[in-house]
Amino acid sequence: MGIIRDTLRDKVADGLSACIGCRECLRACPVAPPGLRIADLNHWTAGDAPLAASAPIPTPVSPAPAATEVVAVADAAISSPAPPAAMVARLAEECFQCGMCVPVCPSGLERDAMVLWLKSRLTPRPAEYDASLRRRGPAQTVGEKVGVTVHNLLHRGRLGSLSRHVDKRSLQPADTLFFFGCNIFSTTGMGEKILAIADYLKCRYEVLGGLSSCCGWSSYLSGDLDGAGEMMSHLAGRIAKVAPKEVITPGSECYAALSRIAAVHRTPFTPVTVASWLRRNLHRFPLRHFPGTMTFHDACHSSRKLGEGEEPRRILRQLGALVEMRRFGDDAPCCGHHQFGVNPAQVEALRADRLAMARDAGAARMVVECVRCQESFAPGAEAAQVEVLSLVDLVYDLLPSGDRPQARPVHFAPPVQKGDQIPIEGM
Amino acid sequence: MNYLIAGFGPAGAHAAAAIRECDPHGAIHIFSAERHPFYFRAALPHYALGHIDRDGLWAFPAGETERLGLRHHPVPLVAIDTARSVARDAGGGEHPWDRLLIACGAAPSAIGCPGESASGVVHFDTLDDAERVRALCGEGGGSPPREGGGSPDGRAIIAGGGARALALAWVARRLGMDVLLLVPEERLAASLLDAAAAMLLFRRLTDDGVEVRLGQHITGVEHARQGGATAPASGSIVVTGDGRHHPCRWLGVGTDGAPGSPLAVSAGLPEGAVEVNARLETRLPGIYAAGDVCSVREGGESLRSGGWLAAVTQGRVAGLNMAGGDATYQSSHYYHATTLYDLPAVLIGACDAAGDAAVTTHPRGPDYRRLVFRKGALIGAVLLGDRRHAAVLRRAIELQVDVRGYELQMLRTDVDLNRLLRPSGEYHLY
């Protein structure tokens, strides 16, 4: 469990030494407060001391310019009156770990890891984080167990056939394991469609889902390093009971967690994105071309950080006309999901901007791979006049109607406003 | 205790901070030729392009110099008297020392030919140089590359083929100049890259519109006296060894300065790179050296590391030892990530060692990597273009992981190499 913290501490020490101060990371960052100096950011990043939560700073909601654009930084924009510590804390709170800062760094340092280190020291932790993340992972206390039970009772009803997989105790050995974790409660209905596709393919599988089997990566991205380590260890044990050859997941962050578990724990399985699984089996579906033009939104972890961005595109090229947005691949902006509602107006602006890019590209549909991206973009789709759907939705539509269970109504919450209670992710 | 530090770059500044960690009361005096406080020297290309302003260039947070109790003298040290333990600055002032650090960097860039000091010749070593480059490029800072129309007024000539020249070429190109790069060696970045990697870099420059001529020595620089089609309205004419005359608006000197320092020689140390042991001690008691000025003697070999990270690390080790600590610098853990022109490059460990096996990607591929192995362990790596897995490769070298059977897989960027680190329990996303 301490390895995550130790690895991060080493990365921070290396990064502080290697930083040449070019500020490219902050120029690429969609949430960096204007005027934040690298010297101050580095100064506060060093060490283990708690970092006081930030004082309010007026933050422009317009997205940052593309990393590839050359834009002179006006002197006026630099002279912010906010104290450096407050700006650093603000960055730590609002950073959603998209990693846009990493490829632009000429010294190859991982600024996202350095900001994660800051997040782990935020005192107190932003209330929005814990409102979003509480009750995940193996329940430790009686109160947590009661909370999870009540939660499951309340939500099982709308999960249909998926409900039998929620936090189930008995797991059967299988070569294929579908891992949904807390995404089993996703309002996208992605889990149910995936299992319908698997049934069509006559795949023998086991399913792992529920709050207790959360992969922990969201907690990791919030700076709860020890909690994340516990969740990953717990999940590794659950996966070992199934002894699968491959673990397939529709969550981009879950894919990162599974990759880590496969590499670190002695559980010999291959993590697979749902896109890779679908692409591998695409020849087994009655293929057809979808009308209109589609574009693809890259998910941060599976596509940008772990280099799986080509698989979804191979599917889309077979199913219709694919166009790229102005920013794609390594330059694709994040949906902002893992800001956990700290600055809703900022994230909504980023999402609206992304949907506008899809529209500007002439795409009628913006296809996503990750369940989190779909949840993030779908509420604004109608206003943007762009349909947001997942790869799973597309492939599911290929199935003969008799193989498609009756779809549950899909509901997306309206954009969150500051001060709203943030629901547990996936609920 | 009286500490004297020659140079206020990364090595000198981090040495000062390390000294203060161990010795809260000692007097720390820093001498440098520049009047500016410690700044991010390696960010000068970004400063020249307007990506950061002057305030953003200072590498210490506000008040740090005072908090550390450093006294900055904007005058260089020029001589060391070891018998009296006194150093003399360029103004004639004498300063006693108990411990002295030579951290004044490599010698300034130079091409060593007549006319080098003419007005149209600019270097790229300091903050003031960067401002001059920006001024010489004229308006249009931050604009995308445009063609200078082939006229001498729109052309910059840059001498050198190393990291500094490539950075200057990148800046000039981004600021809208036509760029002719005159490289004395037979390949680009000859001290960093092998021939295949250098060819990839060559292709990148020419694709971006930079004219590159290899094996070209500058023999003279003349002041242009008239404008017109063949000479700039004001600027220089660069003469190369083959007798050709190249008119340009300005000549940028990007040759890498030779290691060594007259200051070290004045103390009785040999010419060339100042040799130190792993504790960063010279052979003279109480005198240390760190950064680009030195080479570290380790295992019978004398190795120059170079780069910002090495300077920071060496400065810290030297500072700790100057204040009575016991720290060592391991050049085998050398890690240098940089950008050559606009291509990411990473050099790790003994990347130019022979080893007992080496594998490389196809030389005409879009990216390049070379991995060197010894006794089943990775000992060095060069990545150019795609630097995915650099963190894993670095840790594999540091942990001396047995990678037998994985050599070819390690060349691929689409394989998760984290499994190599399983015994350590680490996981690296990038």
Side-chain angles (χ1 to χ4, degrees):
Chain A
M1 150 166 59
I3 288 171
I4 292 180
R5 188 174 288 278
D6 291 345
T7 304
L8 200 56
R9 185 184 283 112
D10 290 347
K11 277 190 193 300
V12 169
D14 290 343
L16 291 172
S17 299
C19 176
I20 62 164
C22 65
R23 210 174 184 274
E24 293 297 301
C25 52
L26 294 181
R27 277 164 37 85
C29 176
V31 300
L36 175 57
R37 296 170 68 240
I38 283 290
D40 292 319
L41 178 57
N42 288 348
H43 175 76
W44 289 99
T45 302
D48 294 275
L51 184 69
S54 70
I57 301 170
T59 307
V61 294
S62 57
T68 49
E69 292 174 11
V70 178
V71 179
V73 177
D75 286 356
I78 290 292
S79 55
S80 166
M87 283 196 281
V88 170
R90 179 69 173 237
L91 173 66
E93 288 173 5
E94 293 185 345
C95 167
F96 35 75
Q97 292 285 297
C98 66
M100 295 300 294
C101 47
V102 177
V104 298
C105 175
S107 296
L109 64 90
E110 297 174 28
R111 178 64 71 179
D112 60 345
M114 297 166 74
V115 178
L116 185 59
W117 181 248
L118 284 164
K119 267 183 189 290
S120 75
R121 292 158 43 204
L122 281 172
T123 307
R125 259 166 75 82
E128 291 88 347
Y129 288 9
D130 290 327
S132 180
L133 293 165
R134 69 178 175 223
R135 291 205 301 247
R136 291 206 202 178
Q140 305 286 352
T141 65
V142 173
E144 285 174 347
K145 285 176 183 165
V146 170
V148 169
T149 304
V150 171
H151 166 266
N152 289 348
L153 283 172
L154 287 173
H155 292 275
R156 268 199 169 117
R158 66 175 180 81
L159 291 184
S161 60
L162 273 182
S163 64
R164 65 193 168 93
H165 298 298
V166 173
D167 286 332
K168 66 184 180 189
R169 292 188 181 175
S170 173
L171 293 167
Q172 301 303 315
D175 285 351
T176 300
L177 172 65
F178 286 103
F179 174 69
F180 298 140
C182 48
N183 286 330
I184 200 166
F185 297 108
S186 171
T187 51
T188 63
M190 198 187 282
E192 204 171 8
K193 288 181 177 179
I194 286 173
L195 296 190
I197 294 168
D199 289 337
Y200 172 79
L201 295 171
K202 301 194 181 340
C203 176
R204 292 189 60 226
Y205 59 83
E206 180 56 281
V207 178
L208 195 49
L211 296 178
S212 69
S213 61
C214 172
C215 67
W217 204 263
S218 291
S219 297
Y220 173 71
L221 297 180
S222 80
D224 177 12
L225 308 178
D226 299 334
E230 284 175 20
M231 286 187 229
M232 281 185 243
S233 295
H234 177 72
L235 178 57
R238 299 285 284 163
I239 292 173
K241 288 188 174 171
V242 181
K245 289 182 178 168
E246 60 180 14
V247 182
I248 301 165
T249 182
S252 175
E253 288 78 23
C254 304
Y255 179 65
L258 291 170
S259 298
R260 184 185 184 279
I261 289 168
V264 171
H265 295 268
R266 300 196 180 278
T267 40
F269 66 87
T270 302
V272 177
T273 63
V274 78
S276 291
W277 173 64
L278 291 174
R279 204 269 309 152
R280 200 174 69 205
N281 290 289
L282 202 57
H283 64 283
R284 299 170 65 185
F285 300 104
L287 294 183
R288 63 182 167 86
H289 258 242
F290 288 84
T293 306
M294 296 183 282
T295 190
F296 179 68
H297 168 76
D298 293 273
C300 295
H301 280 75
S302 57
S303 193
R304 280 202 289 105
K305 298 184 184 181
L306 291 164
E308 294 284 339
E310 185 52 26
E311 293 284 64
R313 288 179 167 81
R314 289 173 71 180
I315 295 175
L316 294 180
R317 286 189 202 107
Q318 290 201 50
L319 297 183
L322 172 68
V323 292
E324 295 290 3
M325 288 180 269
R326 178 167 58 84
R327 295 178 63 187
F328 67 99
D330 281 351
D331 191 34
C334 173
C335 71
H337 186 92
H338 284 91
Q339 199 189 68
F340 305 109
V342 168
N343 189 344
Q346 182 183 57
V347 170
E348 288 309 322
L350 291 168
R351 289 173 184 166
D353 188 58
R354 186 58 167 163
L355 287 165
M357 283 186 213
R359 194 181 56 233
D360 293 346
R365 295 186 173 105
M366 186 172 86
V367 181
V368 299
E369 176 184 9
C370 172
V371 64
R372 296 289 189 221
C373 299
Q374 189 174 14
E375 289 172 354
S376 299
F377 287 119
E382 191 175 332
Q385 298 177 305
V386 175
E387 185 184 2
V388 174
L389 72 171
S390 69
L391 287 168
V392 170
D393 292 330
L394 279 180
V395 175
Y396 181 79
D397 276 353
L398 298 175
L399 300 186
S401 55
D403 290 297
R404 283 188 259 168
Q406 191 168 359
R408 290 181 289 118
V410 175
H411 170 71
F412 293 102
V416 177
Q417 301 300 314
K418 183 75 179 174
D420 284 357
Q421 179 73 14
I422 310 296
I424 292 179
E425 287 182 25
M427 288 173 60
Chain B
M1 188 76 86
N2 222 20
Y3 303 94
L4 262 52
I5 297 175
F8 206 1
H14 284 266
I19 290 169
R20 185 55 77 220
E21 275 179 35
C22 304
D23 183 351
H25 305 298
I28 305 174
H29 296 267
I30 302 182
F31 297 81
S32 70
E34 292 183 81
R35 65 187 186 284
H36 309 297
F38 173 40
Y39 61 89
F40 286 116
R41 192 175 300 263
L44 288 178
H46 305 268
Y47 175 68
L49 289 176
H51 295 179
I52 39 178
D53 72 349
R54 240 180 196 239
D55 189 44
L57 203 59
W58 308 138
F60 274 158
E64 184 73 353
T65 305
E66 294 74 20
R67 189 186 71 78
L68 292 173
L70 311 182
R71 175 119 187 258
H72 177 211
H73 306 257
V75 59
L77 290 181
V78 293
I80 300 171
D81 183 338
T82 52
R84 296 168 50 222
S85 291
V86 163
R88 197 178 73 246
D89 66 38
E94 290 199 331
H95 310 272
W97 52 269
D98 299 299
R99 300 281 185 276
L100 188 147
L101 174 68
I102 302 171
C104 43
S109 52
I111 45 179
C113 69
E116 186 174 354
S117 57
S119 61
V121 180
V122 63
H123 294 246
F124 200 46
D125 301 331
T126 66
L127 196 162
D128 295 334
D129 291 341
E131 290 181 346
R132 189 149 175 247
V133 166
R134 187 156 56 178
L136 282 168
C137 289
E139 295 300 315
S143 63
R146 59 177 167 78
E147 297 307 316
S151 99
D153 285 325
R155 179 155 78 165
I157 293 180
I158 292 161
R164 194 179 323 202
L166 290 164
L168 185 50
W170 178 64
V171 168
R173 192 73 189 116
R174 294 278 91 70
L175 290 178
M177 302 295 294
D178 286 336
V179 174
L180 168 61
L181 189 65
L182 298 175
V183 184
E185 298 84 14
E186 292 301 325
R187 65 172 191 255
L188 288 167
S191 64
L192 299 172
L193 303 177
D194 60 29
M199 183 53 71
L200 173 64
L201 184 59
F202 182 92
R203 287 201 302 268
R204 172 61 199 136
L205 263 73
T206 52
D207 285 350
D208 199 40
V210 176
E211 185 181 355
V212 183
R213 296 192 189 177
L214 303 173
Q216 293 283 327
H217 293 269
I218 295 174
T219 54
V221 183
E222 300 169 3
H223 182 65
R225 298 191 183 282
Q226 81 283 338
T230 57
S234 64
S236 304
I237 296 175
V238 175
V239 184
T240 45
D242 56 7
R244 296 176 70 174
H245 288 59
H246 308 273
C248 60
R249 188 192 298 182
W250 53 271
L251 168 67
V253 182
T255 50
D256 292 327
S261 152
L263 182 64
V265 175
S266 75
L269 292 166
E271 299 261 2
V274 181
E275 195 171 274
V276 292
N277 60 20
R279 286 173 46 84
L280 283 306
E281 297 164 322
T282 68
R283 62 178 175 80
L284 298 176
I287 299 182
Y288 297 71
D292 286 351
V293 76
C294 77
S295 64
V296 182
R297 188 153 191 86
E298 192 178 298
E301 283 183 289
S302 204
L303 303 167
R304 282 195 72 214
S305 294
W308 182 273
L309 177 58
V312 168
T313 313
Q314 289 176 2
R316 181 164 174 74
V317 168
L320 292 172
N321 291 332
M322 288 166 75
D326 185 17
T328 54
Y329 175 76
Q330 287 180 281
S331 53
S332 57
H333 292 178
Y334 173 60
Y335 182 86
H336 182 40
T338 186
T339 303
L340 299 173
Y341 195 72
D342 60 358
L343 276 184
V346 181
L347 296 93
I348 317 170
C351 45
D352 52 358
D356 50 27
V359 293
T360 62
T361 50
H362 192 281
R364 296 201 68 81
D367 306 295
Y368 177 81
R369 52 183 58 196
R370 178 173 192 269
L371 307 174
V372 185
F373 305 91
R374 185 178 293 156
K375 295 179 181 173
L378 182 69
I379 60 166
V382 179
L383 316 180
L384 185 64
D386 190 336
R387 61 183 168 206
R388 196 176 294 271
H389 298 326
V392 178
L393 297 174
R394 177 185 187 179
R395 289 298 287 153
I397 290 172
E398 289 171 352
L399 297 170
Q400 299 184 2
V401 177
D402 189 335
V403 296
R404 269 175 281 214
Y406 290 94
E407 290 90 341
L408 290 175
Q409 284 195 59
M410 292 169 72
L411 287 178
R412 295 175 53 175
T413 55
D414 60 345
V415 175
D416 190 349
L417 297 179
N418 276 287
R419 284 167 193 261
L420 297 173
L421 304 180
R422 178 173 280 168
S424 73
E426 294 176 27
Y427 184 79
H428 301 271
L429 265 181
Y430 300 99

